[in-house]
Amino acid sequence: MTTPSALDRPVGVPFTRRLAARTVLLPALALALLPPRRLRAVLALVRRGAAPASTAQAAAARDAMCAASLRCAGPRGCLPRSLGAALLCRLRGTWPTWCTGVRVVPPFTAHAWIEAEGRPVAEEVPDGYFTRLMAVPPVSRTDA
């Protein structure tokens, strides 16, 4: 037996942004196959030289990924969606905080998301709902 569900795909995403999202989709899917340690190393390399993303920039990238791919818009698309949104931000010279972690309340569920300005982007859950296990934040000038 299956449970019916509807995907919430953003509308009004410009064609050029959807095209850019399609461009980063394949690298995001490839990155999703890497073991966590290697994934963190690759993302740490990719983020170099990028400014921190604003909430609006990160939300636009996330919306573009959901508009361009049914897999990213789906309930199990959090890893490619978050990786693609981070890569899409990087194409524009910014970097959100890419996070992966678990849900705090039972049942146990792993999740990946992006944050900007210290808050999860478009996750529709209260603060503290997820606990971070791994994060790749933007590099500040003092870290470099």
Side-chain angles (χ1 to χ4, degrees):
M1 180 174 217
T2 61
T3 304
S5 64
L7 296 179
D8 184 27
R9 292 185 75 185
V11 294
V13 177
F15 174 75
T16 54
R17 194 167 291 150
R18 287 192 322 268
L19 186 60
R22 288 253 180 208
T23 303
V24 300
L25 181 60
L26 210 53
L29 292 171
L31 285 173
L33 300 175
L34 293 177
R37 186 177 68 187
R38 212 167 262 157
L39 176 59
R40 177 188 278 172
V42 169
L43 293 180
L45 185 66
V46 170
R47 74 177 173 181
R48 291 179 53 183
S54 69
T55 300
Q57 291 167 325
R62 186 184 187 282
D63 286 349
M65 291 308 298
C66 290
S69 167
L70 280 174
R71 173 181 276 201
C72 289
R76 295 185 181 193
C78 64
L79 186 57
R81 176 177 57 237
S82 64
L83 289 168
L87 293 175
L88 198 52
C89 283
R90 185 61 187 101
L91 283 179
R92 299 191 185 294
T94 62
W95 185 260
T97 299
W98 178 83
C99 305
T100 186
V102 295
R103 185 169 36 183
V104 174
V105 295
F108 169 82
T109 303
H111 190 57
W113 67 96
I114 58 172
E115 293 181 359
E117 300 169 0
R119 310 232 22 217
V121 176
E123 286 299 323
E124 311 300 329
V125 294
D127 289 342
Y129 190 76
F130 295 111
T131 296
R132 282 189 197 178
L133 296 177
M134 183 168 57
V136 182
V139 179
S140 66
R141 296 285 180 210
T142 58
D143 292 343

